[in-house]
Amino acid sequence: MTARLPLLPDSEKRDWLRLIRSAHLGPITFHHILRYYGSAANAIERLPEMAKRGGAKRKIELADIKSIDAELKALKACGANLVAWGEPGYPVGLMQLDDAPPLLAAKGDPLISEAAGIAIVGARNASAIAQRFTRDIAGELCRQDFSIISGLARGIDKAAHDGALQANGKTTAFIGTGIDIAFPPENTKLHDEIAERGVIFAEMPAGTPPLAQNFPRRNRLISGASLGVLVIEAALKSGSLITARMAAEQGREVMAVPGSPLDPRCHGSNDLIRQGATLVERIDDILAVIAPQRPASVKTPSLPAAMPAPVGDDDLARAHAELDRLLSPNPVEIDELIRLSGLSSATILMVLTEKELAGRVLRHPGGKVSAG
């Protein structure tokens, strides 16, 4: 196993937390800014200036120090701690994503997440037979030294975690609420058991209630931390299909268990197979596609290279004008903007960062952006 980055000092983690909790600042922008300015403290000082250049009509809202200290206090009160990108216990698969969360709140043993993992997701109103299949195959995967990753929801998620725990295996849960909130309430006992025997991760601030818009964000973590995603019973337009789509975009294997064409809960998972997902009826079907890519050891991605120093004000002004012309409400690849503008990648990335801080650029999957 290769060495991880050294642990961040508590003061630096506090700065990271303040930076990522500031307005209009997502993970991609966080990582860009950190590479430009070297530390979160330096970046925080420069945010107002960057947002102003990006066209912000009012002063950027920096995260209030009191709210950051309150969040840290809430984490401590519920027995959680923050794991930073690159530290021991930060899921290796997530480190490969452009939008990897800079910080994750963790309850339990985060080192469990370093085991090779298979994500299992599916219907919340899953049938009894699907839940039994899920528990059985999760247990079999654990006996092959895989970790089971899921989202601690009703139905298939619960069955996947249960199967892993019953087999004395490793399991990781990514939740869409604050780390201090067990949701749904009937899974409180399971939440506590995973915190004791596995690990729970949350990207949202402590105290965040279950809001619908946060669960797709959570789904990218489930898929990103895994080698592949197995879908068991998923209706058309279900959240499980979002996870499967994200897995494909992230270069992970997509697998699905076939179901009855008469059961609406299976229409989405059957459609995945129709589109090329691996059909799974037994564990051997999973091992056939996962085993060849299973790493012999955990490899930590290298730190992103430092970005060139920000360009001059005149160049930035010209770049802002050019991107105002090229951007529209339709997402476009950043590489295409670089090609069409004739500007350097460093300049384009800086200007996009400034426009995002100003709320004038939106980021989309696949390295695309649009006018905000």
Side-chain angles (χ1 to χ4, degrees):
M1 182 181 296
T2 56
R4 288 295 193 117
L5 301 177
L7 294 174
L8 280 182
D10 289 344
S11 59
E12 181 69 4
K13 275 190 184 176
R14 185 169 176 265
D15 289 338
W16 276 37
L17 189 61
R18 188 181 182 206
L19 183 59
I20 193 59
R21 297 290 185 244
S22 295
H24 302 305
L25 204 150
I28 294 176
T29 302
F30 176 97
H31 292 295
H32 282 319
I33 293 176
L34 202 64
R35 290 162 68 189
Y36 276 120
Y37 296 115
S39 74
N42 289 340
I44 289 169
E45 289 183 9
R46 303 297 295 271
L47 284 186
E49 172 192 344
M50 295 176 70
K52 183 178 179 180
R53 280 202 305 259
K57 294 181 180 179
R58 47 188 155 176
K59 192 174 181 180
I60 190 171
E61 296 177 23
L62 293 171
D64 181 68
I65 293 177
K66 289 183 178 179
S67 69
I68 295 304
D69 288 342
E71 181 175 348
L72 292 171
K73 184 177 179 180
L75 291 175
K76 184 176 181 180
C78 73
N81 62 286
L82 289 174
V83 182
W85 190 100
E87 286 187 329
Y90 190 96
V92 177
L94 297 187
M95 291 178 64
Q96 301 163 356
L97 307 183
D98 290 338
D99 60 349
L103 296 163
L104 287 169
K107 283 181 72 174
D109 181 4
L111 293 177
I112 284 174
S113 70
E114 295 190 359
I118 306 294
I120 301 179
V121 297
R124 287 176 170 80
N125 62 336
S127 66
I129 192 69
Q131 292 183 58
R132 188 180 75 182
F133 179 89
T134 301
R135 285 192 295 271
D136 289 347
I137 205 158
E140 291 179 50
L141 286 167
C142 285
R143 285 186 280 275
Q144 294 289 326
D145 293 327
F146 287 99
S147 171
I148 300 301
I149 301 169
S150 199
L152 233 173
R154 300 179 178 94
I156 296 301
D157 286 23
K158 181 180 186 302
H161 293 303
D162 281 340
L165 293 170
Q166 289 166 12
N168 292 318
K170 298 175 180 177
T171 190
T172 298
F174 288 95
I175 61 176
T177 62
I179 195 72
D180 52 342
I181 294 178
F183 180 80
E186 62 264 32
N187 281 357
T188 298
K189 182 178 178 182
L190 177 60
H191 181 282
D192 294 342
E193 189 170 4
I194 296 175
E196 182 178 344
R197 299 173 55 192
V199 62
I200 302 173
F201 288 116
E203 181 181 16
M204 295 295 109
T208 302
L211 302 174
Q213 65 264 30
N214 290 336
F215 287 91
R217 288 174 55 85
R218 179 277 309 266
N219 292 352
R220 87 189 193 285
L221 306 181
I222 293 173
S223 57
S226 73
L227 297 176
V229 173
L230 175 63
V231 180
I232 303 174
E233 286 192 347
L236 293 171
K237 298 183 180 179
S238 71
S240 299
L241 298 190
I242 295 176
T243 308
R245 174 177 58 79
M246 290 177 170
E249 292 172 350
Q250 294 163 343
R252 307 313 193 242
E253 292 290 339
V254 178
M255 304 164 282
V257 175
S260 169
L262 302 178
D263 189 341
R265 290 172 295 192
C266 301
H267 290 176
S269 41
N270 286 348
D271 192 52
L272 286 176
I273 296 170
R274 189 177 298 112
Q275 295 177 41
T278 298
L279 186 153
V280 172
E281 294 178 316
R282 56 186 63 86
I283 189 173
D284 289 347
D285 299 323
I286 298 175
L287 298 179
V289 294
I290 294 296
Q293 60 169 297
R294 184 173 186 172
S297 61
V298 176
K299 293 187 179 354
T300 301
S302 301
L303 270 173
M307 296 289 286
V311 295
D313 289 345
D314 290 343
D315 289 333
L316 285 175
R318 287 196 298 270
H320 274 288
E322 186 66 7
L323 286 189
D324 284 339
R325 180 180 69 84
L326 293 173
L327 286 169
S328 77
N330 298 312
V332 62
E333 293 180 353
I334 294 175
D335 287 346
E336 183 72 359
L337 293 175
I338 295 171
R339 185 183 71 80
L340 291 173
S341 69
L343 298 166
S344 70
S345 60
T347 301
I348 290 295
L349 290 175
M350 171 59 85
V351 172
L352 287 174
T353 297
E354 292 179 348
K355 287 184 177 298
E356 186 179 12
L357 289 172
R360 297 182 59 206
V361 159
L362 299 176
R363 294 190 183 268
H364 303 271
K368 297 181 178 181
V369 293
S370 68

